[in-house]
């Protein structure tokens, strides 16, 4: 069955071609059927492959398609690798992807670029599938850059608005900064191992016994630079909140199924290299936990429903990097999966709200929507509870696992992680309460038109809500009586790396229960505070013009990071561009060229004197010339 | 066979004299397509004899025996790629000129064909005398194309270009004559005689400089580039395409054919300095490109940046980087011509190249928008376009030389996205402006120009082996020459 895995990316690609080339003349319903159908077919195929793995066995299959690049010692086959990690990823991508496609059929119904939208979505998924299926770093890089392109196309989908175009451009360029890091890391890998192919690199790396060799730290940190771009970590995170300029299903796709999980996947894939560079892992853990906290505080003060969700993604990704950084690779992927469920749910739910509110995204203009949008409300609540980490829901299990692993490594990570969880619970319930409870604060016109979304949109919400509830049971830890299914499934991928990690202090069950209890109590108190603030006291965030001060202002303005980057990087480069052009290029270099030209012209004036017409001087020159030629041949 | 390939454009240019008026365009296009077909035929024969002898691909007839000049031609994998590039682009360039009317069309198209002969001759010559003649034959027609049919400042600008490049050529001529005098009795200009010379490293270093100046100006390598933005901007569209798409490859090819095998020691004496200059040029030109206001000038600077990377790979001269050089010569030619075709289409409709006065074209011309985007992605080296294959090999090759330089040169990945996306956004996206309000989408003729370009961008991007396999053996022997 797995031999047919090449069809998985091919189907969305065909969908892209059909809709992209012919979509304009096809009826919208057919466009939607082709686009969504391609995704569903891919998902079914992925499911079949998953179930074709015999019980108790694992899979590791290389599918050769053709030779991509050959030059000198470089040999890059266009190959796919089917193993537990890539199967998990294709299931998430095609599964969530299918739901988002279905949802888009309703959400984008009125848009004139309907066919284009579906074509881009299919292409996006195609590149993401290449990214996770590639059997070497270069095929991975094709997908890596390809999703960057698709995010550019989709964030700037409504291209008449230059703000959206700026957001799209920003996403592409910030990703490219990361991409350069990734590419350099890959060059170092080639320089060290002589190949780009995963299997060869990793088997050579697993023979290395010395930790923290400079070359491994270099490779890992460079790869991590790539990951910070794609997965929106400090310092390259600022594109992701702006990326919500795109239509809401795109945000769901970027934040849940594709794109941002790429960095996590890449590091998990290269786990053996990172295990060999503990220093790099520490850097990752620190950046991860810092991003988790930093983004969570920004989320506290944002009033755009999608922007809050965007910062929550940045923050949740920080948790995943924290997991990677403490060597808990399968925990990171567990969180990738549960996060895909509830974040897709939250974004699509937000889209349903925005749809009902006629493109209003400001939570200060909402309120009391629970009655008008019952399905959206209930599913959004489930998503909110899941991300907040309420016991029993998916987010609880995956976040708890990360926090426990962080506790094992360093208690400070755990403390900061719990603080992040408290903030998350607060800002998510802030959004939930302000949107669905209290009194309606929008215009009269909006109130009149409030409606629940059509089935194409609510069905994905329901499915995702169910997954957000049960998702945690796919990897239920032994202390809950589970068998850690996902961890066992993925264990062959991480075996070589795990063998090199020395687990010193395993937590006792009592400790584990205790730290769990602490975080659960903290989260519930935080939800209570949000309830007190936004329900009991009925407070609503201040209007934009109103004076805010101190910390609030700093957080509201996202710590002025965009402004900082503008001052430190963008403006100097723009200044440099103009001044180099005007001064160095035109005045200095071209000036020099021109003056040499003028010099020759002047010289020719002198030389012209030689052609005076005086035969005597000509003869003299001839004799001198002959002598010099003879001398030239005699001297050698 | 290859003589026919070389001389057919010359015949075509004479043949055109018998036609007047609009029919000239059709005859010219037909001739260019026949020439393309001829080169595809040569290509197919070349591939089918890949493993056997290459005798069919060389010609050697004594020409001016008293001077030891031979009419010696040879086609190898590298030159074949450049011949294909030339003959692929010429019909497209001719087709792209259909929307313009020229004073005395037979002169215009005649000059194009004369230049084509010169270019093909440069790529085929195995005799230095012949090489030099073709080198100048390629220059003179394009000078007239630019000077007769260009913008307002064309005379002044093209004269500077002409004098600058011919000055470089004169240095090369001195080098050629010097090498000629060093050959054994009954001197010879032939490539193999030059190659057999065993000159001291110091002498090679000096002769290297004489050749290098000519080639560096032509490419151009920083800081010899200042003629280029002006010339590209002031020339008419076809002239710009000929210059940027094909002509600048003469300089790169010159290094491959006449410097590396003949002056390896001189090459190794200077390579470090040239690599540093080339890498500086990449970042320097990229930064300048960001704030350009004239779209053509912007592409000119981006071209300098791209060629800088090719030049860096050329002087790194390991197997990976040289394969990158060969494939990227092809890619750069296709992509830069694609850019100039698009700019020509936009300029002919809106009468402006000012980026700031354009905007919103995508909503009027979706076909143009998508084809332009693909060409642009080729330029920013997105994977699955041709540009990626070239830049990947070049950067990897450069990395093998020095990882810091590769990282610095790699800034082109970021800066290229900055200036290209900025251009695309300002020209194609956003709201329509007063100049773009009546913009119409592509005509069938224009589609016929752009679609082959886009097809090549994607085909090479997905399956570069078609061309990398052609040059692999020759690149190997080049690298061998430097050991």
């Amino acid at each position: 069955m797995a031999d047919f895995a090449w069809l998985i990316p091919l189907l969305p690609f065909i969908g892209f071609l059909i809709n992209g080339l012919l979509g304009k003349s096809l009826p919208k319903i057919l466009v939607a059927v082709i686009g969504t159908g391609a995704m569903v077919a891919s998902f079914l195929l992925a499911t079949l492959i998953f179930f074709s793995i015999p019980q108790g066995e694992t899979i590791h299959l290389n599918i050769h398609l053709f030779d991509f690049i050959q030059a000198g010692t470089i040999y890059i086959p266009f190959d796919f690798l089917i193993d537990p990690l890539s199967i998990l990823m294709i299931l998430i991508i095609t599964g969530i992807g299918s739901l988002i496609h279905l949802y888009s059929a309703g959400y984008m119904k009125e848009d004139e670029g309907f066919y284009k939208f579906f074509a881009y979505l299919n292409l996006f998924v195609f590149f993401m599938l290449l990214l996770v299926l590639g059997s070497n770093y270069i095929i991975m890089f094709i997908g890596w850059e390809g999703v960057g392109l698709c995010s550019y196309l989709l964030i700037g989908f409504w291209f008449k608005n230059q703000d959206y175009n700026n957001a799209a451009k920003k996403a592409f360029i910030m990703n490219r900064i990361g991409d350069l890091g990734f590419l350099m890391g890959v060059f170092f890998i080639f320089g060290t191992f002589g190949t780009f192919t995963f299997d060869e690199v990793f088997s050579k790396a697993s023979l290395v016994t010395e930790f923290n060799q400079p070359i491994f730290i270099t490779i890992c940190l460079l790869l991590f630079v790539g990951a910070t771009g794609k997965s929106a970590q400090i310092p390259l995170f600022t594109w992701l909140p702006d990326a919500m300029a795109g239509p809401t299903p795109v945000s769901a796709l970027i934040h849940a199924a594709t794109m941002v999980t790429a960095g996590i996947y890449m590091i998990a894939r290269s786990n053996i290299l990172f295990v060999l560079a503990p220093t790099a892992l520490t850097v990752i853990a620190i950046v991860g936990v810092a991003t988790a906290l930093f983004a969570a505080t920004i989320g506290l003060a944002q009033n755009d429903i999608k922007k809050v969700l965007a910062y929550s993604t940045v923050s949740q990704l920080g948790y995943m990097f924290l997991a990677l950084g403490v060597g808990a690779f399968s925990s990171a992927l567990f969180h990738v999966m549960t996060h895909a469920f509830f974040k897709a749910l939250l974004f699509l739910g937000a889209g349903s709200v925005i749809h009902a509110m006629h493109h209003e995204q400001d939570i200060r203009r909402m309120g009391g929507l629970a009655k008008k949008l019952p399905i959206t409300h209930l599913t959004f609540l489930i998503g909110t509870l899941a991300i907040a980490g309420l016991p029993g829901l998916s987010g609880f299990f995956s976040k708890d696992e990360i926090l426990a692993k962080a506790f094992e490594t360093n208690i400070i990570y755990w403390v900061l992680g719990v603080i992040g969880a408290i903030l998350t619970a607060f800002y998510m319930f802030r959004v939930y309460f302000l949107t669905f409870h209290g009194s309606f604060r929008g215009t009269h016109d909006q109130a009149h038109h409030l409606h629940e979304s059509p089935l194409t949109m609510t069905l994905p919400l329901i499915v995702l809500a169910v997954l957000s509830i049960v998702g945690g049971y796919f990897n239920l830890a032994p202390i809950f009586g589970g068998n850690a299914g996902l961890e066992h499934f993925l264990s062959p991928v991480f075996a070589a790396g795990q063998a090199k990690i020395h687990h010193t202090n395993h937590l006792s069950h009592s400790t584990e229960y205790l730290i769990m209890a602490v975080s659960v109590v903290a989260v519930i108190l935080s939800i209570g505070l949000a309830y007190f603030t936004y329900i009991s006291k009925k407070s609503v965030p201040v209007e934009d013009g109103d004076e805010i001060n101190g910390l609030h202002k700093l957080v509201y303005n996202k710590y002025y990071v965009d402004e900082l980057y503008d001052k430190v990087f963008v403006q100097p480069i723009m200044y440099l561009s103009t001044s180099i052009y005007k001064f160095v290029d035109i005045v200095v270099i071209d000036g020099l060229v021109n003056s040499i030209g003028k010099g020759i012209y002047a010289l020719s004036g002198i030389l012209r004197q030689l052609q005076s017409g005086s035969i005597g001087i000509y003869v003299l020159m001839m004799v001198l010339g002959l002598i010099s030629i003879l001398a030239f041949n005699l001297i050698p | 066979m290859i003589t026919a390939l070389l001389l057919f454009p010359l015949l075509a240019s004479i043949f055109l004299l018998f036609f007047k008026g609009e029919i000239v365009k059709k005859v010219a296009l037909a001739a260019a397509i026949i020439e393309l077909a001829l080169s595809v035929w040569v290509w197919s024969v070349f591939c089918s004899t890949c493993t056997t002898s290459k005798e069919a691909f060389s010609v050697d007839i004594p020409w001016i025996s008293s001077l030891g000049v031979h009419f010696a031609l040879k086609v190898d994998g590298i030159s074949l790629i450049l011949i294909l590039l030339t003959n692929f682009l010429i019909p497209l360039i001719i087709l792209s000129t259909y929307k313009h009317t020229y004073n005395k069309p037979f002169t215009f198209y005649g000059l194009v064909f004369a230049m084509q002969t010169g270019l093909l001759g440069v790529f085929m010559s195995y005799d230095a005398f012949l090489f030099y003649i073709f080198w100048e034959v390629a220059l003179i027609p394009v000078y007239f194309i630019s000077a007769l049919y260009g913008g307002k400042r064309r005379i002044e600008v093209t004269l500077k270009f002409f004098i600058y490049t011919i000055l470089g050529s004169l240095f090369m001529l001195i080098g050629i004559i010097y090498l000629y005098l060093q050959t054994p009795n009954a001197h010879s200009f032939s490539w193999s005689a030059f190659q057999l010379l065993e000159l001291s490293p110091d002498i090679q270093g000096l002769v290297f400089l004489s050749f290098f100046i000519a080639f560096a100006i032509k490419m151009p390598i920083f800081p010899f580039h200042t003629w280029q933005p002006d010339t590209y901007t002031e020339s008419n569209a076809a002239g710009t395409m000929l210059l940027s798409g094909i002509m600048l490859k003469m300089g790169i090819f010159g290094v491959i054919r006449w410097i590396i095998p003949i002056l390896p020691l001189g090459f190794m004496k200077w390579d470090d300095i040239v690599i540093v200059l080339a890498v500086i040029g990449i970042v320097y030109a990229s930064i300048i490109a960001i704030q350009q206001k004239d779209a053509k000038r912007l592409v000119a600077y981006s071209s300098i940046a791209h060629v800088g990377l090719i030049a860096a790979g050329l002087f790194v001269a390991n197997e990976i980087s040289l394969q990158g050089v060969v494939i990227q010569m092809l890619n750069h030619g296709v992509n830069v011509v694609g850019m100039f075709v698009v700019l020509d289409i936009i300029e002919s409709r809106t009468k402006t190249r000012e980026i700031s006065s354009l905007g919103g074209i995508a909503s009027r011309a979706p076909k143009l928008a998508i084809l332009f985007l693909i060409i642009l992605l080729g330029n920013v080296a997105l994977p699955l376009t041709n540009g990626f294959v070239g830049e990947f090999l070049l950067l990897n090759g450069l990395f093998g030389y020095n990882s810091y330089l590769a990282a610095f040169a790699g800034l082109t990945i970021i800066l290229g996205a900055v200036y290209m996306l900025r251009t695309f956004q300002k020209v194609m996206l956003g709201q329509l402006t007063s100049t773009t309000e009546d913009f119409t989408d592509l005509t069938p003729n224009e589609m016929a120009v752009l679609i082959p370009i886009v097809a090549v961008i994607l085909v090479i991007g997905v399956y570069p082996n078609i061309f990398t396999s052609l040059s692999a053996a020759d690149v190997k022997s080049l690298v061998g020459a430097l050991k």
Side-chain angles (χ1 to χ4, degrees):
Chain A
M1 198 64 232
D3 298 326
F4 293 97
W6 51 271
L7 272 170
I8 293 175
L10 187 65
L11 288 167
F13 187 71
I14 292 171
F16 156 72
L17 286 182
I18 297 176
N19 280 337
L21 295 174
L22 312 170
K24 201 169 188 178
S25 47
L26 297 177
K28 279 184 178 171
I29 177 81
L30 194 58
V31 168
V33 167
I34 292 168
T36 314
M39 285 309 309
V40 173
S42 274
F43 175 65
L44 290 178
L45 194 59
T47 320
L48 282 176
I49 290 173
F50 174 72
F51 284 110
S52 72
I53 306 168
Q55 195 71 35
E57 284 180 33
T58 186
I59 186 169
H60 190 95
L61 180 73
N62 194 75
I63 300 175
H64 178 67
L65 297 177
F66 58 91
D67 294 339
F68 179 45
I69 298 179
Q70 271 174 301
T73 50
I74 290 182
Y75 170 63
I76 302 163
F78 205 109
D79 282 13
F80 290 157
L81 175 65
I82 311 297
D83 76 342
L85 182 56
S86 56
I87 289 178
L88 172 70
M89 292 305 292
I90 56 177
L91 282 171
I92 296 174
I93 295 162
T94 56
I96 308 281
S98 300
L99 294 170
I100 293 170
H101 276 66
L102 177 62
Y103 180 94
S104 305
Y107 191 84
M108 298 296 287
K109 202 170 57 202
E110 312 295 334
D111 201 284
E112 56 179 330
F114 191 78
Y115 76 97
K116 212 164 65 180
F117 188 73
F118 269 87
Y120 290 166
L121 284 189
N122 272 184
L123 188 68
F124 205 148
V125 173
F126 162 74
F127 276 121
M128 191 64 199
L129 289 168
L130 276 193
L131 195 160
V132 299
L133 281 170
S135 81
N136 60 59
Y137 282 103
I138 305 306
I139 307 301
M140 185 194 248
F141 191 67
I142 296 177
W144 188 268
E145 287 246 287
V147 293
L149 166 69
C150 294
S151 65
Y152 171 78
L153 293 173
L154 283 164
I155 294 167
F157 184 74
W158 288 313
F159 64 83
K160 287 181 187 160
N161 183 327
Q162 289 290 24
D163 286 342
Y164 295 176
N165 294 330
N166 286 334
K169 191 172 65 179
K170 182 173 173 184
F172 193 84
I173 289 166
M174 292 211 102
N175 267 290
R176 275 243 149 162
I177 297 172
D179 293 353
L180 177 59
F182 182 87
L183 202 59
M184 294 309 295
V186 170
F187 287 162
F188 271 110
I189 289 175
F190 183 71
T192 312
F193 299 101
T195 171
F196 297 105
T197 304
F198 293 145
D199 284 346
E200 293 168 26
V201 172
F202 301 152
S203 67
K204 282 182 184 166
S206 66
L207 301 176
V208 176
T209 50
E210 192 191 330
F211 288 86
N212 263 339
Q213 292 180 38
I215 182 70
F216 281 94
I217 296 179
T218 311
I219 290 173
C220 292
L221 288 180
L222 285 169
L223 290 182
F224 180 56
V225 170
T228 58
K230 207 106 296 184
S231 297
Q233 296 293 290
I234 293 173
L236 296 179
F237 67 97
T238 57
W239 67 269
L240 188 61
D242 289 16
M244 51 154 220
T248 309
V250 175
S251 310
L253 199 62
I254 291 177
H255 290 250
T258 61
M259 191 93 180
V260 296
T261 56
I264 317 280
Y265 165 78
M266 185 267 289
I267 290 176
R269 175 60 80 197
S270 321
N271 65 86
I272 180 81
L273 301 177
F274 284 84
V275 166
L276 287 168
T279 308
L281 279 181
T282 308
V283 172
I284 293 173
I286 292 171
V287 171
V289 79
T291 310
L293 265 181
F294 188 75
T297 55
I298 298 176
L300 291 175
Q302 301 307 310
N303 298 321
D304 183 315
I305 186 168
K306 285 173 77 178
K307 211 156 213 171
V308 178
L309 293 178
Y311 279 104
S312 92
T313 304
V314 176
S315 172
Q316 295 298 311
L317 289 164
Y319 281 100
M320 298 174 208
F321 278 99
L322 172 61
L324 296 171
V326 300
F329 300 107
S330 66
S331 309
L333 282 155
F334 184 27
H335 203 54
V336 164
M337 182 181 78
T338 60
H339 178 259
F341 298 153
F342 58 68
K343 188 50 63 64
L345 171 59
L346 288 168
F347 261 111
L348 296 184
S352 178
V353 169
I354 295 164
H355 190 67
M357 295 283 296
H358 289 267
H359 299 286
E360 179 61 74
Q361 302 186 186
D362 193 328
I363 50 176
R364 288 171 299 192
R365 309 275 169 277
M366 299 176 183
L369 298 182
K371 275 162 265 143
K372 299 285 175 122
L373 307 171
I375 303 175
T376 306
H377 164 242
L378 191 64
T379 52
F380 197 91
L381 175 61
I382 292 169
T384 310
L385 288 168
I387 194 174
L390 209 77
L393 276 77
S394 60
F396 165 74
F397 293 109
S398 53
K399 192 187 285 181
D400 176 69
E401 198 176 304
I402 292 174
L403 289 176
K405 294 278 168 55
F407 190 91
E408 277 177 32
T409 308
N410 189 331
I411 193 160
I412 296 171
Y413 293 151
W414 177 79
V415 172
L416 296 174
V418 170
I419 295 174
I422 294 169
L423 297 173
T424 307
F426 185 83
Y427 69 71
M428 282 309 303
F429 271 91
R430 173 177 173 269
V431 167
Y432 167 73
F433 288 138
L434 286 171
T435 307
F436 292 100
H437 294 279
S439 53
F440 187 70
R441 296 178 297 274
T443 62
H444 193 71
D445 204 36
Q446 284 170 330
H448 195 67
H449 288 108
L450 280 179
H451 58 277
E452 180 59 282
S453 301
L455 186 67
T456 49
M457 289 167 69
T458 50
L459 186 67
L461 292 179
I462 295 166
V463 175
L464 287 166
V466 172
L467 287 170
S468 298
I469 296 171
V470 305
Y473 300 93
F474 295 142
N475 193 32
L476 202 58
I479 60 161
F480 301 115
N483 61 355
L486 184 71
E487 196 178 327
H488 278 293
F489 178 63
L490 292 175
S491 61
V493 182
F494 303 128
Q498 293 297 333
K500 289 187 189 289
I501 298 181
H502 306 288
H503 289 288
T504 43
N505 44 340
H506 262 297
L507 298 181
S508 67
H509 276 192
S510 54
T511 328
E512 217 168 312
Y513 284 125
L514 184 69
I515 60 171
M516 199 185 307
V518 171
S519 66
V520 168
V521 169
V523 160
I524 289 173
L525 286 176
S526 175
I527 296 173
L529 182 64
Y531 183 86
F532 177 71
T533 316
Y534 298 104
I535 300 291
S536 305
K537 280 179 64 185
K538 294 192 167 63
S539 55
V540 174
V542 294
E543 290 302 315
D544 285 335
D546 291 5
E547 195 64 32
I548 48 174
N549 43 34
L551 211 55
H552 186 192
K553 191 171 175 188
L554 187 67
V555 174
Y556 180 77
N557 288 300
K558 303 153 231 157
Y559 298 99
Y560 298 98
V561 176
D562 279 322
E563 288 78 1
L564 181 78
Y565 286 175
D566 190 55
K567 280 268 182 310
V568 177
F569 299 108
V570 180
Q571 285 182 15
I573 287 179
M574 293 303 164
Y575 174 76
L576 213 60
S577 175
T578 321
S579 54
I580 288 185
Y581 173 60
K582 291 207 171 128
F583 184 69
V584 182
D585 212 52
I586 294 182
V587 177
V588 178
I589 298 180
D590 204 34
L592 205 65
V593 170
N594 286 339
S595 45
I596 290 173
K598 287 201 183 94
I600 291 173
Y601 191 76
L603 200 67
S604 73
I606 300 168
L607 287 176
R608 206 183 300 135
Q609 312 283 317
L610 296 177
Q611 301 178 349
S612 54
S614 155
I615 309 291
I617 290 180
Y618 287 175
V619 173
L620 180 67
M621 299 295 274
M622 241 158 73
V623 173
L624 286 177
L626 270 173
I627 290 170
S628 57
I629 288 170
L630 283 172
F632 184 79
N633 265 349
L634 288 174
I635 283 168
Chain B
M1 185 162 71
I2 58 173
T3 318
L5 191 63
L6 172 66
L7 296 180
F8 181 79
L10 203 60
L11 287 177
S13 93
I14 295 164
F15 186 59
L16 279 180
L17 292 175
F18 299 104
F19 295 91
K20 276 214 168 75
E22 285 299 288
I23 187 92
V24 174
K25 287 180 177 172
K26 294 198 173 107
V27 179
L29 182 65
I33 289 174
I34 294 171
E35 172 71 5
L36 173 62
L38 269 178
S39 50
V40 171
W41 177 54
V42 169
W43 181 20
S44 70
V45 177
F46 188 91
C47 277
S48 62
T49 56
C50 266
T51 47
T52 59
S53 79
K54 289 281 191 323
E55 300 231 322
F57 296 95
S58 56
V59 172
D60 195 339
I61 307 162
W63 185 21
I64 310 172
S65 21
S66 58
L67 285 175
V69 177
H70 284 238
F71 185 80
L73 305 174
K74 194 175 145 192
V75 172
D76 67 358
I78 298 173
S79 45
L80 179 60
I81 287 176
L82 289 166
I83 291 165
L84 287 170
L85 172 71
T86 308
N87 292 348
F88 170 72
L89 288 178
I90 297 272
L92 295 179
I93 292 172
I94 289 175
L95 188 57
S96 82
T97 62
Y98 267 39
K99 62 168 125 356
H100 303 291
T101 42
Y102 298 99
N103 189 18
K104 295 191 191 145
F106 61 88
T107 318
F108 181 82
Y109 294 102
L111 286 168
V112 172
F113 283 120
M115 187 192 176
Q116 187 177 17
T117 304
L119 291 163
L120 294 174
V122 165
F123 299 142
M124 291 184 191
S125 296
Y126 260 74
D127 181 285
F129 191 88
L130 201 59
F131 175 77
Y132 186 78
I133 289 174
F134 282 126
W135 179 271
E136 299 299 2
V137 164
L139 173 67
I140 292 160
V142 82
Y143 166 72
F144 282 112
I145 291 174
S146 303
L148 293 177
Y149 303 93
K152 283 193 204 83
R153 288 174 55 224
R154 63 178 192 272
I155 302 292
E156 167 200 345
V157 164
T158 45
L159 186 66
K160 176 171 163 185
F161 152 68
F162 186 76
I163 290 176
Y164 204 163
T165 50
I166 212 149
L167 185 76
S169 312
L170 287 176
F171 279 102
M172 179 170 73
L173 186 62
I174 295 170
I176 290 176
I177 292 172
Y178 178 81
L179 289 177
Y180 170 75
L181 291 174
Q182 303 306 306
T183 53
N185 276 339
H187 298 304
S188 164
F189 280 105
S190 88
W191 181 86
S192 38
F194 280 14
Q195 205 214 354
L196 288 172
L197 292 174
E198 285 179 3
L199 302 173
S200 73
D202 289 339
I203 299 284
Q204 288 201 21
L206 285 175
V207 184
F208 170 90
L209 283 183
S210 74
F211 277 85
F212 175 73
I213 288 174
F215 298 151
I217 291 171
K218 207 70 134 196
M219 279 186 228
I221 291 181
F222 172 87
F224 300 100
H225 64 275
T226 51
W227 62 267
Q228 202 201 46
D230 280 341
T231 312
Y232 282 13
T233 319
E234 289 301 318
S235 294
N236 66 81
T240 311
M241 292 175 208
L242 289 167
L243 280 168
S244 61
I246 319 172
M247 188 141 182
L248 66 81
K249 276 71 191 179
M250 288 167 46
I252 302 163
F253 182 79
V255 175
I256 290 177
R257 175 73 78 241
W258 296 96
I259 290 187
I260 294 179
I262 291 170
L263 306 161
L265 300 176
F267 180 88
M268 284 189 269
K269 219 178 160 94
W270 291 100
D271 56 357
D272 297 327
I273 293 171
V274 181
I275 291 167
V276 170
L277 282 178
V279 171
I280 290 174
I282 299 171
V283 178
Y284 175 88
S286 300
I287 288 181
I288 288 181
I290 295 173
Q291 289 280 50
Q292 288 306 311
K293 297 181 173 72
D294 180 317
K296 248 178 146 181
R297 192 172 285 271
L298 187 146
V299 176
Y301 276 103
S302 94
S303 170
I304 294 170
H306 286 127
V307 172
L309 185 57
I310 301 180
L314 180 61
F315 281 85
V316 165
N318 55 40
E319 217 177 321
I320 296 170
S321 77
L322 283 179
Q323 277 287 43
V325 168
V326 176
I327 193 84
Q328 194 69 345
M329 277 199 276
L330 178 61
N331 298 338
H332 176 270
V334 173
N335 297 358
V336 83
V337 168
M339 288 299 286
F340 282 125
V341 169
V342 169
L343 295 185
D344 183 37
I345 289 170
I346 293 173
E347 191 186 350
S348 68
R349 290 200 188 15
T350 61
K351 312 290 171 227
T352 182
R353 294 191 307 260
E354 283 291 310
I355 292 172
S356 57
S357 61
L358 298 167
I361 293 176
S363 48
R364 285 276 184 273
K367 284 182 202 149
L368 174 65
I370 196 76
L371 294 176
F372 184 19
L373 184 66
I374 297 173
I375 292 167
L376 190 134
L377 293 173
N379 268 295
V380 301
L382 198 91
L384 298 188
T385 65
N386 58 359
F388 172 70
V389 179
E391 280 197 10
F392 171 74
L393 292 174
L394 287 168
L395 285 174
N396 200 342
L398 188 57
F399 182 88
Y401 171 80
N402 181 317
S403 53
Y404 292 100
L405 269 182
F408 190 63
L411 290 175
T412 180
I413 291 181
I414 301 165
L415 297 171
V418 172
Y419 61 73
M420 281 296 173
L421 292 187
R422 174 180 169 271
T423 311
F424 190 74
Q425 182 183 347
K426 299 232 159 141
V427 173
M428 303 303 289
L429 308 179
Q431 300 287 345
L432 288 162
T433 66
S434 55
T435 41
T436 57
E437 222 159 33
D438 305 318
F439 205 93
T440 50
D441 210 347
L442 297 176
T443 63
N445 256 349
E446 291 163 340
M447 294 281 276
V449 179
L450 287 175
I451 284 179
I453 287 174
V454 164
V456 169
I457 288 174
L458 295 174
V459 167
I460 298 180
V462 175
Y463 199 69
N465 258 335
I466 305 173
F467 295 104
T468 49
S469 61
L470 278 182
S471 55
D474 300 310
V475 163
K476 225 186 186 81
S477 61
L478 264 183
V479 176
L482 290 170
K483 277 184 184 139

